[in-house]
Amino acid sequence: MHKLTITFGILLILLGVVCFVATGHTHPTSLIPAGFGVLLVIFGALAKSDDAKKRMLWMHIAVTVGLIGFLATVKGAYQTVKLAAGTVYEHPVAVEEKGAMCLICLVFVLFCVRSFIAARRARLV
């Protein structure tokens, strides 16, 4: 799971940097996904441990970061759907960025939950 966490972290970093460049370097808030991505990369790297307890701790922290990222951008996902339907927003790049971050974080959290359930079942057997 640590490789998947690092991969999703890199996706979020790329999203933040690309949107920061797309806004003409004028909106530093477009780097927020990159901040979440850096955290995921750090926690993913820390989860690359032989100690199962440390690995479990860092992965739980990483999925918490992903969940916070998802919950913080749910409104952006709704706005992205409205944007596609024709609603005009002052900063459409920001709306699309929040929608993309929401989707990336949701997929990451779902992968983590699936992995946690599989690990729990393997421990019980």
Side-chain angles (χ1 to χ4, degrees):
M1 273 310 288
H2 71 276
K3 290 179 183 177
L4 187 69
T5 302
I6 292 170
T7 302
F8 275 91
I10 291 170
L11 280 174
L12 287 172
I13 291 169
L14 289 174
L15 175 66
V17 170
V18 166
C19 289
F20 183 65
V21 171
T23 61
H25 302 90
T26 56
H27 299 286
T29 55
S30 61
L31 291 172
I32 290 173
F36 278 84
V38 167
L39 289 175
L40 288 182
V41 168
I42 290 169
F43 296 140
L46 290 170
K48 186 181 177 183
S49 171
D50 293 331
D51 184 6
K53 293 286 185 185
K54 285 183 182 178
R55 186 172 51 247
M56 190 167 54
L57 169 71
W58 293 117
M59 283 309 303
H60 278 85
I61 292 171
V63 75
T64 302
V65 169
L67 183 61
I68 290 169
F70 167 71
L71 293 174
T73 56
V74 168
K75 182 179 176 185
Y78 173 70
Q79 290 174 336
T80 302
V81 172
K82 287 180 65 176
L83 181 69
T87 303
V88 177
Y89 289 97
E90 186 176 351
H91 302 289
V93 174
V95 172
E96 292 169 348
E97 180 181 30
K98 286 187 280 186
M101 181 175 170
C102 182
L103 180 64
I104 291 169
C105 288
L106 175 63
V107 171
F108 173 69
V109 169
L110 292 175
F111 274 127
C112 287
V113 168
R114 190 184 80 168
S115 172
F116 293 167
I117 291 171
R120 176 81 171 190
R121 285 185 180 152
R123 260 194 331 260
L124 294 177
V125 173

